[in-house]
Structure formats: C-alpha cells, structure tokens
Amino acid sequence: MSGTYLGMPAFPEAAHDAVRNPTLRRNLRHATHTIRDKRARAVAELEDWAGLRAAAKAIKDRTLRHLDHYLVRLEQAVTAAGGTVHWAADAAEANRIVTALVKATGESEVVKVKSMATQETGLNEALEAEGIRAYETDLAELIVQLGDDRPTHILVPAIHRNRGEIRDIFAERMGRWGRPAPDGLTDRPADLAEAARLHLREKFLRAKVGVSGANFMVAETGTLVVVESEGNGRMCLTLPETLISVVGIEKVVPTWRDLEVFLQVLPRSSTAERMNPYTSMWTGTTDGDGPRAFHLVLLDNGRSDTLADEVGRQALRCIRCSACLNVCPVYERAGGHAYGSVYPGPIGAILTPQLRGTGSGLDASLPYASSLCGACYEVCPVAIDIPEVLVHLRERVVQGGEATRNGVRVRLRPAKGHAAERAAMRAARWALDHPAALRAGQRLAARTRRLHPRRLPGPGRAWSDTRDLPEVPAESFRDWWQRTRGGEAR
Amino acid sequence: MGGGGPAGGSRDRVLARVRRALADVPRGERPSDVPVERSYLRTHGRRTAEETVALLAENLADYRAVVHRTTEDGVRDLLMVLLARRGSRSVLVPPSLPPHWLAAADPTRVHDRAACTTRQLDAADSVVTGCALAIAETGTIVLDGGPEQGRRRITLVPDHHICVVRVPDQVVASVPQALERLDPRRPLTWISGPSATSDIELDRVEGVHGPRTLEVVLLETDRDGETDREGEPGGDGGDEDDHDRGGRDGPPYADG
C-alpha cells in the first residue's frame, strides 16, 4: 500500500495520542453518531432489509467463488464496448500502467474522483514522481490534499477537521494549487463549498485525463458504476478525453440485475439517503458523449491472497459503505489515522492485515483494534462477520500458520511481542489437559488469595492497569461441587 | 498501452492466483450453483399510478429538488416563468427537445453540438431536458442520453437544470423496476436532488460541482389506459444468472 503509511506506529501507540485530542474526539463523536442515527432511519424505511442484505451477501459470495469466471467475462464485455482492460498484480504495476497511459496522452495533469484503490496504491505520489500532477476533486479529498494530510474516514475523509481548520487550509493553500480562495473567506460551509467549486471548476474545464475508481463493475454488460454526491465524479467521468479507472478485482458483480440490490443497500448504509445525488454508469465508450478512450485497470494487490483465506475471504464482500466505522466504539475514539491504512475502522482491521500481511508491527496490531462487540457485523449490508475474521487473524498473529502472500503459500511464524500471550495459552492448555494439576493450582491460588497483587507484574501490567483483576474465589467450583453434591448419584 | 511487461503476463498471473486461491471450491461447481435468494420486494407498498407520482414528488422535494406540476397546455408558460424567475439569458437544449416546450421562453437557445467547448457550456445559465424515467421510492430521475436529454455534460456544467418527466408514463416505483427498463449500453446518469456535499461537519450544502438548482416538471400526459404499469407483476422470479442472455433489445420506451 501507499508509502505514506510506512513507519506508522502500531495501533495502540497511534490511538494513545488520538484519544488525547479533544477536537478530534468531538468531531468524530458528532460525525459517527449523526450518521449512524440517520442510517438506522433510512434502513427502517425498507421492510425487506433483511432480504436485501441476504441477497447482497449471496451475490458477493457467488462472485468471489467464481471470480476468475466473472473477471474474464467482464474483460470481454468492456473490450467489446470499446474499452481497454489492463491487469495489475500489485500497486507498483498499477501505478506504472496509469503513469504510462497518462504520458501517452502528452498531458501532465489529471483530475481524480475519490478512489480508495488509487489511495491504496499511492498513485498520486507515483504520478508526482513522474512529473504529473493529480488533483483530488472530492471536497473532503481536496481538504486532505491541500492540508498535506491523510484521510480518516472512508465516506467523509476530512471528518476530523472542523470548519475553522478547513477555512485556514483553503485560505493558506489553495493558491499554491491553482485559483486562490476568495479574500475574506469565512468558515460557513456554503462559502467553503463555493471556494472549492471555483477552485476546481477551472481544472475540470481544461482537464484532458480523468482518473477514477468504481463502486461496481457488471460482468454481464461491462458497465462501471460510480456513486457520488457532489458532481465532481460526473465531471471527471464525462469531461476528459481519456478516462482511466483503477478498480479492485473484488468490485465485480455478475449481472445488470444485481445492481438492484446494491443500489438499494449502499446509499442507505453509507450516507443514509434513499439514493445518493448522482450515480454514473458507463459501458466502454459512447460516440459523441464522454471520453473517447476508456482504460480499466484491474487491481489485485493482495486481493487474491485474501481470497485464499476461507475465513478472511468474506472481507472482499465489502462495498466500502463505512457503516461499520460509524458504530464502532474503538473507531469513534481513536479516529482513522491510528489504523495506518486507507481502510480504517472495523473493516480496515480485517482488510488491511490481509491485503498487506501481518508482517509489520502495525499490521499485526490491527486485529486487536476492536472490542469484539459485534456492532459492525449488525450494520454491515453484506453481512461480513468482522468479529469472526478478527479472532481468526488474532490466532494467525499469535500462533502463525498458513497464509498466502503474493500468490505463494507461506508458513507464518508467530508475530513478535505475543510471547506472554502464547505462553499463557500454552500453560492453560496444559493445565486443562491435566485435571490433577489444575485442581492443585486452583487450591493453591485460593489459599493465597489475600496475598495476590492488585496489578500484574511484567508484561501483564498494561492489561491490569486498565482493568480490575477478578477476585479468586475461596473455593473452586469443582471443590464446591465435590463438597456439596459429591455424594449424590449421577 | 504501456505499463510494465506484457499485458498477458499480469493477466495470467492474477487469474492463476485467483484460481489457486479458490482451491476449496469444488471442481464442477458452477456460478449458478451458489444460491442467491431473491425474496426481497420488487416494490415497497402498493400504490395507484397517481400515488406513485405523488411519492416521486414528495421524495424529490425531500432532497431539495423544486417540483412543479403541469399539463401539455401549461408546459410552455411554466418553463417561461421558471427561466424568467431565474433571470436566465441562455438555455442549453438537447437535440430533440419538443420545440413547443420552450416556445414562450425568451432566453437564447444554445444547441449542444459536439464542437461545443466546456467553456461555452459553462456560460449557459440553464438547461432544459426530458428524462428516460423517474423512480418514485427514491426520488430519482434517470437520464440515458436520448435525444430529449443530450450528452451527459449538458446537465452537469450549467448551474440550473429543469428536467421534464412525463407522468405517469415515465415513472416507475422502485430501483428494480428502473433497471428492468434501462439499457446498460447507454451512458446513464441517475440524479436525486441537486448536487450536495456533507463533507464539512456534516452540514449539507447544495451545489458543489453539479447544478445547484434542480427543478423537476411533472408533465401530465393523456392517459390512454395502456400505459398503466402499476400492479404489473414483479420480475420473472427465476435465477437470472444466465450468461447467454445475449444482446438486449433497445429500451422499451420511446425517445420522442
């Protein structure tokens, strides 16, 4: 993934700072509670929500179990409609392909509609290194780009910024990227949006190359779908002469009809609207309307590795609605930066360590960035059992085991830093396998209960600092049973 | 083309990885063997054609589109008033907009042509179009590039869009009904209210890049009894994953 995130501290350290930032916590709390309440109302309007959710899950499962079939079919359909399909095994290859395509047009700037896939590959930085400037055109992405910042939320990437901060960023930075902000810019959202409109419009009107992602790709017809609100997507998709879409291979759906499910569940889960303001659908190129050249770059970058894990595979059902972020008590307090990835929150905690592997300290810490409360699973429109995958990944981190990296089966060693956990689990297993030793240990613990410290020593200390240790009972359950009922017939 | 290495190399590599990753899927399992239960509803609630139009109006207004209702006799005066109220001096028109719609309007008509630059489009005050259909349950109008709608860009760049929907003929109840009637080979634009953002402290602001004002004219057409689509049974109910459906017919509605 993007080099921006290299060297990020593990989740606990990053979150440690975030929870001490009162502005961040206030902004996040307001945002997550507002969206989650609205979402609940939008979902309640549909009496068949459970059926839609089940169908969405089933369609994605069908797609994933036959992904090769659908990708080949998609390629045929896009090609037949006048598009060109490219395949990228990893981020570097995707960036090389896009850079070469842009250079072939002779242009040195591109307009971009918000795209998780190109954030994941670090495309903007790769283009910059080749002398090509990429302009983000989603309002929130513009705030992030001008502020030299990183997104913190999938849907509203600049939600950690309040209006005063945004005003300062616009006033100070817009001039360096093009049309400066108007003099005397206030912090009213309408004025800030107007400044963005003026700043970006000149870029839209002269742009020759657009770069996008896509929410869905229909294998049957070769149709791509982009769902948005501001119209910047429509600008990028229809005004340039060349359109390059970088899309993860998991975004394919089998049939045109399948959109009837996803166009109902996505807006309501995401922005809590019946329908988002703008949805664009295009199939290859159309004479006289829109770009003359269309390139689709199909991105793997760890997705086939994720597919190889039968438990973790379900993370690829994700349609990036961000509902799980807004209900997560951990995300609400830690914010998106702490996850060290373009995919924050509960879905990031299971997707990132699968896409990137659990080799780094940060990635190994992500499966623990959760209280396992299950709220994320409840709201997920494609029913990803995020807690199940978290526990599965924790086991992989602690125990090691089989995984696929870059298409190759590898045996992972247990991650560093989990020695105490592993030792405790080994000891527990041994004790439970040896009832006599367990009984003796329980009696010893009971007899010495007055002497136990309130805090654990050594590596257990951090754990006991924030928790009350359970009282050791005077007598174990087994001894109590033996004493009171031991004589009874079974 | 470009990029690193032969295109076939990465294509084959990615497909091979995907196939290896699916080693647990039994050989011989076909996509249609993975069940997709479609027990969800084709429409939410039963309504008469008039009630469906009323719901469309309500949902459009809820997302801050301005809704007007008129008849064939009233449309030219209504459009004149709407453009005058806005102070529009020039109005973009798609190739086959019914001429009588704008017969009473003053503004200069700018006919969209392939040669029109984006700057010229940006200079237009308003745009008037028809639509392919409208979806009542979501308050959505859908454009498919037909001759009454023109290219996608003409409804995007001007700040004021007036869209005429023929009711009840062009109104469907739900998203599933809309997809049945649309042709995926055409470029499609779904519009639900004016352009909006909630990126600044979640305050909704209308109009960032698309038109800041969307006015929808519900134009009542004479009913001949045959166009009543309400109460029509839902989809075929069969599992649709037939890969050999082949070419679709054109859109089942007329464009002019």
Side-chain angles (χ1 to χ4, degrees):
Chain A
M1 285 195 197
S2 169
T4 325
Y5 296 102
L6 286 181
M8 282 282 297
F11 184 84
E13 287 97 81
H16 186 267
D17 294 337
V19 295
R20 278 168 175 69
N21 179 340
T23 308
L24 178 70
R25 285 192 61 166
R26 198 166 46 242
N27 294 351
L28 282 169
R29 187 182 152 76
H30 170 67
T32 54
H33 283 254
T34 305
I35 307 177
R36 81 164 78 154
D37 294 346
K38 276 179 66 189
R39 178 208 157 268
R41 288 197 294 275
V43 165
E45 270 190 15
L46 298 185
E47 69 239 63
D48 59 340
W49 185 257
L52 285 167
R53 184 178 188 240
K57 170 184 187 285
I59 292 166
K60 282 287 188 175
D61 280 345
R62 172 184 286 185
T63 314
L64 292 172
R65 284 178 75 85
H66 295 278
L67 189 57
D68 51 336
H69 167 81
Y70 288 118
L71 288 172
V72 170
R73 194 173 164 77
L74 173 76
E75 181 186 43
Q76 286 166 353
V78 170
T79 308
T84 307
V85 178
H86 310 257
W87 300 70
D90 56 26
E93 186 172 18
N95 292 343
R96 276 201 305 276
I97 293 169
V98 176
T99 306
L101 288 170
V102 177
K103 283 191 164 175
T105 66
E107 295 295 318
S108 59
E109 55 181 37
V110 302
V111 287
K112 284 186 68 197
V113 48
K114 177 176 181 296
S115 143
M116 304 301 294
T118 60
Q119 268 174 34
E120 180 186 318
T121 65
L123 176 65
N124 291 6
E125 294 79 7
L127 289 172
E128 192 76 57
E130 297 288 326
I132 298 162
R133 210 156 212 215
Y135 297 112
E136 293 292 348
T137 63
D138 172 80
L139 178 54
E141 290 291 339
L142 175 71
I143 295 165
V144 168
Q145 186 173 45
L146 293 176
D148 207 10
D149 195 359
R150 284 179 294 112
T152 52
H153 191 285
I154 290 175
L155 174 72
V156 276
I159 200 62
H160 56 295
R161 298 286 199 182
N162 59 36
R163 60 187 73 191
E165 294 175 297
I166 296 167
R167 193 213 76 90
D168 293 345
I169 291 169
F170 279 10
E172 197 183 305
R173 302 286 183 92
M174 262 185 180
R176 286 188 225 169
W177 286 78
R179 180 173 176 151
D183 289 336
L185 180 65
T186 76
D187 66 359
R188 282 181 55 226
D191 291 346
L192 296 170
E194 175 71 13
R197 179 185 178 95
L198 295 171
H199 177 80
L200 287 171
R201 183 150 287 226
E202 58 177 40
K203 298 192 188 339
F204 288 133
L205 297 187
R206 70 165 188 251
K208 297 280 188 285
V209 183
V211 173
S212 84
N215 294 88
F216 306 102
M217 309 184 281
V218 182
E220 176 190 35
T221 60
T223 307
L224 269 77
V225 182
V226 164
V227 166
E228 49 123 8
S229 297
E230 296 174 6
N232 64 306
R234 294 179 62 193
M235 292 274 182
C236 294
L237 299 170
T238 59
L239 295 187
E241 289 168 6
T242 301
L243 172 62
I244 304 166
S245 300
V246 182
V247 190
I249 53 176
E250 83 286 11
K251 291 283 184 82
V252 64
V253 297
T255 67
W256 175 248
R257 185 187 173 190
D258 293 329
L259 292 177
E260 73 189 16
V261 175
F262 295 105
L263 289 179
Q264 292 192 77
V265 297
L266 177 57
R268 288 179 200 260
S269 299
S270 178
T271 53
E273 292 166 305
R274 294 184 195 102
M275 187 62 79
N276 48 288
Y278 294 133
T279 298
S280 295
M281 303 183 186
W282 72 98
T283 304
T285 54
T286 304
D287 284 342
D289 187 353
R292 286 194 293 240
F294 169 56
H295 296 273
L296 171 61
V297 181
L298 293 173
L299 177 71
D300 181 340
N301 203 35
R303 285 159 177 77
S304 56
D305 293 342
T306 307
L307 190 67
D309 188 310
E310 289 173 42
V311 177
R313 175 183 297 168
Q314 58 185 305
L316 297 177
R317 292 205 295 258
C318 177
I319 55 174
R320 314 279 189 264
C321 73
S322 76
C324 62
L325 276 61
N326 302 323
V327 296
C328 178
V330 177
Y331 174 85
E332 182 188 325
R333 288 159 181 83
H337 285 156
Y339 294 80
S341 153
V342 298
Y343 304 109
I347 186 63
I350 62 168
L351 196 53
T352 305
Q354 296 199 84
L355 293 177
R356 297 198 294 215
T358 48
S360 77
L362 167 63
D363 293 332
S365 74
L366 288 176
Y368 294 86
S370 167
S371 63
L372 299 180
C373 76
C376 46
Y377 175 44
E378 293 297 313
V379 298
C380 178
V382 286
I384 301 171
D385 191 341
I386 293 176
E388 181 191 21
V389 182
L390 284 167
V391 171
H392 170 70
L393 293 174
R394 287 181 187 188
E395 187 181 317
R396 179 186 295 173
V397 167
V398 175
Q399 304 280 357
E402 288 260 297
T404 305
R405 293 306 306 149
N406 300 317
V408 181
R409 288 302 271 180
V410 292
R411 177 131 211 112
L412 296 177
R413 280 205 296 270
K416 277 180 277 183
H418 292 269
E421 190 180 343
R422 214 160 32 246
M425 288 300 156
R426 251 200 307 268
R429 190 189 309 159
W430 183 85
L432 291 169
D433 281 345
H434 296 80
L438 179 63
R439 196 175 308 124
Q442 281 174 334
R443 284 180 187 156
L444 179 65
R447 243 173 264 134
T448 57
R449 60 206 280 258
R450 304 271 165 242
L451 308 172
H452 292 177
R454 301 303 304 152
R455 286 172 158 191
L456 294 175
R461 173 138 193 196
W463 196 85
S464 62
D465 273 355
T466 50
R467 290 168 182 84
D468 292 328
L469 286 180
E471 291 278 342
V472 177
E475 184 178 31
S476 74
F477 176 78
R478 288 147 59 103
D479 284 346
W480 171 82
W481 182 271
Q482 202 64 38
R483 183 164 58 77
T484 57
R485 312 273 174 87
E488 287 176 20
R490 301 270 153 106
Chain B
M1 285 227 279
S10 286
R11 178 186 190 276
D12 294 347
R13 187 150 38 126
V14 172
L15 285 173
R17 283 182 186 181
V18 167
R19 287 180 184 128
R20 261 203 313 280
L22 294 170
D24 62 302
V25 176
R27 289 172 74 87
E29 178 184 297
R30 294 177 322 145
S32 54
D33 295 336
V34 187
V36 174
E37 172 72 38
R38 303 211 184 241
S39 58
Y40 52 85
L41 302 170
R42 305 299 298 168
T43 62
H44 296 85
R46 296 195 72 78
R47 292 172 215 96
T48 63
E50 285 71 24
E51 286 166 342
T52 302
V53 172
L55 180 66
L56 172 67
E58 190 185 312
N59 283 336
L60 281 165
D62 195 31
Y63 285 146
R64 304 190 198 176
V66 186
V67 181
H68 310 275
R69 303 188 73 146
T70 188
T71 60
E72 281 290 350
D73 292 338
V75 65
R76 58 198 285 268
D77 289 344
L78 174 63
L79 291 177
M80 178 187 73
V81 168
L82 295 183
L83 291 167
R85 200 183 284 161
R86 174 94 184 172
S88 292
R89 281 171 305 182
S90 58
V91 56
L92 264 170
V93 291
S96 297
L97 199 76
H100 72 273
W101 286 4
L102 288 178
D106 284 331
T108 313
R109 291 155 195 56
V110 181
H111 292 274
D112 180 46
R113 291 186 186 85
C116 276
T117 65
T118 50
R119 305 266 169 206
Q120 286 167 322
L121 299 180
D122 196 29
D125 296 317
S126 299
V127 57
V128 177
T129 71
C131 71
L133 55 81
I135 308 168
E137 287 181 4
T138 58
T140 304
I141 55 175
V142 181
L143 311 182
D144 72 354
E148 286 188 359
Q149 302 148 50
R151 298 188 291 169
R152 285 172 280 178
R153 53 177 55 191
I154 68 169
T155 55
L156 171 62
V157 180
D159 204 20
H160 179 220
H161 178 195
I162 301 174
C163 181
V164 179
V165 182
R166 291 190 177 86
V167 301
D169 298 12
Q170 289 187 316
V171 183
V172 299
S174 65
V175 170
Q177 289 185 350
L179 286 161
E180 275 168 20
R181 283 177 63 174
L182 292 168
D183 181 352
R185 291 170 306 191
R186 309 186 76 136
L188 299 170
T189 304
W190 296 38
I191 299 173
S192 310
S195 157
T197 185
S198 299
D199 278 342
I200 303 165
E201 296 185 17
L202 297 178
D203 267 5
R204 190 176 167 103
V205 178
E206 262 84 50
V208 196
H209 305 300
R212 275 179 283 207
T213 308
L214 171 67
E215 302 201 69
V216 179
V217 174
L218 302 178
L219 173 62
E220 280 175 43
T221 47
D222 292 334
R223 303 291 308 277
D224 57 11
E226 278 180 49
T227 52
D228 186 359
R229 288 191 182 81
E230 299 309 309
E232 180 182 278
D236 54 17
D239 206 358
E240 78 313 320
D241 206 2
D242 58 341
H243 301 294
D244 306 314
R245 185 186 314 198
R248 281 167 170 266
D249 295 320
Y253 48 89
D255 266 322

